[in-house]
Amino acid sequence: MTDRDFLKRAIDLAHIHAAGENSGPFAAIVVKKNVIIAEAWNQVVANNDPTAHAEIIAIRKACQAQQSYNLEGCTLFSSCEPCPMCLSAIYWARMDGVIYAASKEDAAYGGFDDSLIYDEMEKEWSARKIKSQRMLAKAGRAVFETWRHNPRKIEY
């Protein structure tokens, strides 16, 4: 199969689930060595889970299939440009690439506008809509000292 075929599969899954009641217009697949190792679609409403985006679920399934948190050698094919959360997960999984169809502007047209998140990420913590406060900084940093000196740690 070609990249075009894999992306078409993600788009087809998105079409199927866009017409459903407990789904959304997003789907993603993970491919390794020209083989689909995971398929997923948006399940935010079905699971009452705001993190249940198609890309996140596909990454979780792929990690389970590979028995690894590291998805090097894999490409994610998504019906839509990944949101900031999904893009972060793609980086954390160390994937080789992303191929997508619809843009974030297309998603906004469909009612999924991530511009607030993109805008908020550019601001200082004190200027963001969701207020945050740092406390117990020394105690928080001490956890990382424990981690740094753990001879049994598995770095990821």
Side-chain angles (χ1 to χ4, degrees), residues 102-114:
S103 69
K104 63 184 176 187
E105 291 79 16
D106 296 326
Y109 169 78
F112 298 89
D113 189 355
D114 294 331

Side-chain angles (χ1 to χ4, degrees), residues 37-41 43 56-66:
I37 61 170
E39 294 185 334
W41 46 90
Q43 295 180 31
I56 298 294
I57 294 171
I59 289 169
R60 289 174 182 162
K61 287 181 174 182
C63 287
Q64 290 172 353
Q66 297 295 294

Side-chain angles (χ1 to χ4, degrees), residues 99-121:
I99 298 175
Y100 64 91
S103 69
K104 63 184 176 187
E105 291 79 16
D106 296 326
Y109 169 78
F112 298 89
D113 189 355
D114 294 331
S115 62
L116 170 70
I117 299 168
Y118 286 107
D119 292 344
E120 288 286 294
M121 290 172 65

Side-chain angles (χ1 to χ4, degrees), residues 55-112:
E55 297 90 339
I56 298 294
I57 294 171
I59 289 169
R60 289 174 182 162
K61 287 181 174 182
C63 287
Q64 290 172 353
Q66 297 295 294
Q67 292 294 294
S68 177
Y69 56 84
N70 186 326
L71 295 178
E72 287 180 276
C74 295
T75 301
L76 186 130
F77 292 83
S78 180
S79 62
C80 187
E81 180 177 356
C83 74
M85 175 185 67
C86 293
L87 185 59
S88 296
I90 290 162
Y91 274 96
W92 278 111
R94 296 171 176 81
M95 300 183 87
D96 287 3
V98 178
I99 298 175
Y100 64 91
S103 69
K104 63 184 176 187
E105 291 79 16
D106 296 326
Y109 169 78
F112 298 89

